[in-house]
Amino acid sequence: WKNHYLNMVFRLAFAELDTYLYANDVEKRELSKILDGFDYETFKSMQTRWLRQGRMLWYAYGNLTKEQAKQIVDQAVSLTSLQSIPKDELPSVRIVDLATQPNNFHRLDFTVPDPTNENSCLVSYFQYGRDTGTDGGKCNALNNVVMQFLQEPTFDQLRTKEQLGYVVFSRPRSARDIISCWFLIQSPGKNCEHIRRRLDIHLAKIY
């Protein structure tokens, strides 16, 4: 698991962001502590209880009718013989609502464990709200269009003109029905305070 921290900094930043956003997500260092002492004998004792209970989520895409999709699911359920888990015992995998915090603003700092890595990375994440499905997908479509519009000028300004770093992205994001977007800049020579200031100035000019 330690090799995870040798990844490129922007990948580490995304992993940290997901740990923060998803309820009950566990960061890898914390996960290693939970698994500490998990040996082969423990593994063997748990093996007999594996795949006895569970939950399957299915998404059907492509040239399938509703009846064909249901038939596939029924076959899988029959083969696995999973016993249902009560709803109140299922772990929560919801996205954290950032609007519940003061000023709707959060700052998450982390240090790159690799001392030889001189890169800094900023991920600015903006949360619009929940896609309730009552607007025919208009909010989600608008988010995609806006972020597509911002991609080229953001790259041109921060990467080409200001040369903050080679990695400059802006993308829409939709996870667990939450509409959001993010901007990412990785720089080998500037710290995150400088990167964020330049991003804020850039977005203010566009607005």
Side-chain angles (χ1 to χ4, degrees):
W1 62 269
K2 293 181 180 179
N3 289 337
H4 165 76
Y5 299 101
L6 299 179
N7 268 310
M8 289 179 283
V9 177
F10 75 89
R11 297 188 186 279
L12 297 178
F14 272 129
E16 291 284 341
L17 177 64
D18 282 345
T19 299
Y20 182 72
L21 287 177
Y22 284 89
N24 297 323
D25 196 3
V26 181
E27 200 271 337
K28 288 185 171 50
R29 277 173 293 228
E30 294 302 315
L31 182 60
S32 71
K33 295 177 183 178
I34 295 173
L35 295 177
D36 187 35
F38 188 88
D39 55 18
Y40 180 73
E41 295 302 324
T42 307
F43 164 75
K44 292 296 291 183
S45 66
M46 292 180 61
Q47 195 174 19
T48 58
R49 303 195 300 273
W50 284 5
L51 296 179
R52 294 294 180 89
Q53 289 183 311
R55 179 183 62 160
M56 289 189 289
L57 296 177
W58 287 78
Y59 299 89
Y61 298 93
N63 299 321
L64 287 173
T65 66
K66 181 178 179 180
E67 291 304 317
Q68 288 173 328
K70 289 178 63 178
Q71 184 180 8
I72 293 172
V73 173
D74 289 340
Q75 288 176 345
V77 171
S78 176
L79 288 172
T80 57
S81 300
L82 284 178
Q83 299 175 12
S84 298
I85 298 177
K87 186 176 181 179
D88 58 355
E89 294 183 13
L90 292 172
S92 174
V93 288
R94 297 182 183 275
I95 297 286
V96 173
D97 183 2
L98 301 185
T100 60
Q101 301 300 318
N103 302 321
N104 295 343
F105 175 79
H106 304 249
R107 173 172 170 168
L108 176 66
D109 296 325
F110 75 97
T111 301
V112 178
D114 182 6
T116 65
N117 195 327
E118 298 179 350
N119 288 284
S120 297
C121 181
L122 172 77
V123 180
S124 282
Y125 171 84
F126 299 89
Q127 206 174 71
Y128 178 79
R130 185 169 177 266
D131 184 0
T132 61
T134 58
D135 66 348
K138 290 182 181 179
C139 286
N140 197 36
L142 180 61
N143 185 47
N144 289 335
V145 170
V146 169
M147 295 312 296
Q148 184 176 7
F149 168 77
L150 290 175
Q151 169 63 21
E152 193 280 329
T154 300
F155 183 89
D156 181 59
Q157 178 63 35
L158 302 180
R159 166 66 184 93
T160 306
K161 294 178 180 177
E162 299 190 26
Q163 297 186 2
L164 289 180
Y166 287 101
V167 183
V168 177
F169 291 116
S170 56
R171 295 286 191 275
R173 174 170 175 165
S174 180
R176 310 299 299 180
D177 295 328
I178 301 300
I179 301 172
S180 58
C181 65
W182 51 263
F183 297 84
L184 181 146
I185 304 101
Q186 177 178 299
S187 175
K190 302 295 184 181
N191 61 34
C192 288
E193 293 288 349
H194 178 83
I195 299 171
R196 185 189 170 199
R197 186 163 57 250
R198 298 312 305 168
L199 175 62
D200 288 347
I201 291 173
H202 166 66
L203 293 178
K205 288 181 178 179
I206 290 181
Y207 179 77

